[in-house]
Each structure stands twice: as C-alpha cells, then as structure tokens.
Amino acid sequence: MAPIDKAFMEKCDELIVLELEGWQESAGVQREIDFFRQKGAKVWMFSEFEKEFL
C-alpha cells in the first residue's frame, strides 16, 4: 500500500466498495477492505449502500 493511500484511508470512517467487474480479484481492493475491517470501520458494498441511502 502506498503511503499516500494509507494516509487518506486513516482519515476515513467507512469504505464503499464499487462492485465493478473484477473487484473481487483485485488485491488492492482486498487490502483496503482488510485495512478498514482491522480498524473496526464499516465496509459497504455499493449495492448495500445504495439500498439504504439512495
């Protein structure tokens, strides 16, 4: 993970994952999900977020 990515993610309270083609195979997306879960932050799939808030 690039230091700038970590700096931005440390400032965020939640993560919304866009379920674009290939997201499940993306090592970068998985690292972000793991990072947020490790800090106890909510990880949303966009489809869940959309149903609740849009």
Side-chain angles (χ1 to χ4, degrees), residues 13-40:
D13 296 322
E14 298 181 343
L15 174 68
I16 301 173
V17 178
L18 294 176
E19 299 152 291
L20 302 176
E21 185 176 336
W23 77 269
Q24 294 169 315
E25 291 82 33
S26 170
V29 172
Q30 190 58 55
R31 276 193 303 273
E32 291 177 4
I33 291 169
D34 292 343
F35 179 88
F36 278 83
R37 287 187 175 152
Q38 286 175 7
K39 73 176 199 168

